[in-house]
Amino acid sequence: MPLLPLLLLLLLTACTHTPPTAHEPSGGMDYASLLEMEETDSCCIVKVKDAWHPERIQATYLLIPSHQPLPQQLPPGTVVRTPLQRVVLLSSVHASLLADLQAASHIAGMADTAYVVGAQLRQLLAQGVCSVGNSLNPDVETIRALCADAVFVSPFENAGHGSLEQLGIPLIECADYMETSPLGRAEWMRFFGRLVGQGPRADSLFQVVAAHYLSLREKASRAHSVRPTVFCDLRTGGTWYQPGGNSTMGQFLTDAGAHYLWADRPESGSLPLDMESVFARAHRADLWLVKYGATTPLTYDGLAKDCPAYTRFAAWKERHVWACNTLQVAFYEEVPFHPDRLLQSLIGLFHPELADSTTRPFYTPLPAPR
């Protein structure tokens, strides 16, 4: 798998960097466990927890409207004058959100533009949003030339942000990808919305998303059809990663009414397993969901050629493999802040009698060989 699609996979599933345990929401948040927000008379105090050591605070931001004078007494933290006017985003995930919040005009630059899938973001690029190179090694001089007043970055364990720290502008730690529940990550839109002057709109959007997600989950729990057994993805080298039962994807599968075969595992990240372990649990599974990023469509013959052992699974034999090509489907751009869309799609897949004809599928069946 190319490096950038792999990074996007990690940002969505947090499969190599995961909190040791789940944490309760706090600080005004209903679902987000790594974010605290407190509205005061003079500013909005936002605290981002260290995802690997949640008892520690990784960053504190003091959001102060630009039309207000700076208060004489402020708590410790990075002052961010809002609304930010020119932001650089190292992930298309946040670009898609800002577009939804009608704040696309605030985006001055974006990394990894070659991997943008959604039509809305491609249009933004065509209208002049500047590429700042690779998110793993962004072009600092280009960012400086854009006169950006903040950069949205993704934190990693025991790692800083290199030369970006020399820009002298706020680096917004986007630890949303480390949340371990679909609604926990989506709730971060409330913070991002406040950064670009769209706090009320973000609050309203999140309320709609959360209410829809919860109603869909309840709908799936009342399904009359049998809960299909499900497993995920492909072997990478000698390791086959399956989502932990408390991971975001694990929760999606359970909430959508599937019997996810590793739902009993407490991990909030991915489980590194060998072929034998996966086969022992999943060889008779009803459905096999594969998420991949490639210019060549996945096929049954391709699966067999890549790994002959795949042909031993009932899902391969009975043609029950469903795939999502993330180079063609805006999975990473939509799902983080619209988890209800994926949930609705999965419910229709697992329980066809509950399918909504207006739902756009994320996963589609592999075409059967002729």
Side-chain angles (χ1 to χ4, degrees):
M1 178 182 291
L3 181 59
L4 263 299
L6 178 59
L7 176 63
L8 290 172
L9 176 63
L10 299 183
L11 289 178
L12 186 76
T13 63
C15 71
T16 60
H17 304 287
T18 53
T21 57
H23 301 278
E24 292 297 321
S26 61
M29 298 289 104
D30 292 324
Y31 301 94
S33 62
L34 299 174
L35 184 68
E36 296 180 1
M37 287 199 312
E38 178 187 358
E39 303 276 3
T40 71
D41 292 337
S42 58
C43 66
C44 177
I45 304 173
V46 179
K47 295 182 179 180
V48 177
K49 295 180 182 180
D50 183 328
W52 298 270
H53 306 281
E55 70 281 0
R56 304 177 191 170
I57 299 298
Q58 181 166 22
T60 300
Y61 302 102
L62 310 176
L63 278 51
I64 304 174
S66 56
H67 65 270
Q68 292 182 192
L70 282 176
Q72 292 184 345
Q73 302 251 336
L74 284 172
T78 299
V79 172
V80 181
R81 292 298 231 167
T82 60
L84 295 170
Q85 298 298 324
R86 296 179 60 77
V87 299
V88 169
L89 310 173
L90 299 190
S91 169
S92 60
V93 168
H94 303 108
S96 184
L97 172 64
L98 295 193
D100 286 343
L101 295 177
Q102 298 184 13
S105 61
H106 298 256
I107 304 172
M110 187 166 62
D112 301 338
T113 55
Y115 295 93
V116 167
V117 176
Q120 188 177 31
L121 295 191
R122 291 200 304 269
Q123 184 177 7
L124 284 177
L125 295 174
Q127 291 172 348
V129 171
C130 182
S131 171
V132 298
N134 187 316
S135 60
L136 298 176
N137 186 27
D139 189 329
V140 175
E141 291 310 312
T142 296
I143 296 174
R144 195 189 309 276
L146 288 172
C147 298
D149 47 19
V151 182
F152 284 25
V153 298
S154 297
F156 293 96
E157 188 174 18
N158 300 321
H161 299 293
S163 53
L164 288 175
E165 296 172 356
Q166 301 171 14
L167 287 170
I169 59 176
L171 301 182
I172 306 301
E173 299 281 1
C174 301
D176 54 291
Y177 83 97
M178 291 297 297
E179 291 286 348
T180 57
S181 74
L183 289 180
R185 183 172 193 180
E187 194 170 21
W188 276 68
M189 73 171 71
R190 300 179 57 208
F191 171 36
F192 300 135
R194 282 161 172 76
L195 288 170
V196 293
Q198 295 290 346
R201 188 183 297 277
D203 290 346
S204 177
L205 176 59
F206 178 69
Q207 289 174 4
V208 171
V209 168
H212 192 211
Y213 188 98
L214 295 175
S215 68
L216 288 168
R217 186 175 69 181
E218 173 64 20
K219 179 181 178 180
S221 72
R222 292 185 276 105
H224 296 299
S225 54
V226 175
R227 296 166 66 93
T229 50
V230 177
F231 69 113
C232 297
D233 298 322
L234 301 171
R235 188 183 64 167
T236 303
T239 304
W240 197 333
Y241 291 99
Q242 294 292 327
N246 286 324
S247 69
T248 300
M249 193 62 190
Q251 290 181 55
F252 268 124
L253 298 174
T254 298
D255 288 351
H259 174 54
Y260 174 50
L261 291 171
W262 280 268
D264 61 321
R265 293 290 296 263
E267 289 87 350
S268 56
S270 290
L271 311 171
L273 304 170
D274 56 28
M275 172 64 77
E276 291 73 20
S277 298
V278 176
F279 185 78
R281 285 202 185 194
H283 66 285
R284 292 185 179 178
D286 299 312
L287 293 170
W288 181 0
L289 301 186
V290 178
K291 189 161 68 271
Y292 72 105
T295 55
T296 303
L298 193 66
T299 65
Y300 283 99
D301 289 342
L303 285 173
K305 183 177 179 180
D306 179 60
C307 178
Y310 289 156
T311 65
R312 299 163 56 200
F313 288 83
W316 187 94
K317 295 176 183 178
E318 298 169 12
R319 305 305 190 232
H320 291 163
V321 180
W322 291 63
C324 174
N325 187 345
T326 59
L327 293 188
Q328 297 178 353
V329 178
F331 187 97
Y332 296 117
E333 295 165 14
E334 288 192 38
V335 170
F337 296 108
H338 292 281
D340 52 322
R341 295 178 183 174
L342 176 59
L343 184 64
Q344 187 166 28
S345 179
L346 290 174
I347 289 173
L349 194 166
F350 300 151
H351 301 285
E353 76 279 7
L354 300 180
D356 184 333
S357 61
T358 64
T359 302
R360 182 173 54 79
F362 288 90
Y363 289 86
T364 54
L366 289 191
R370 294 180 179 179

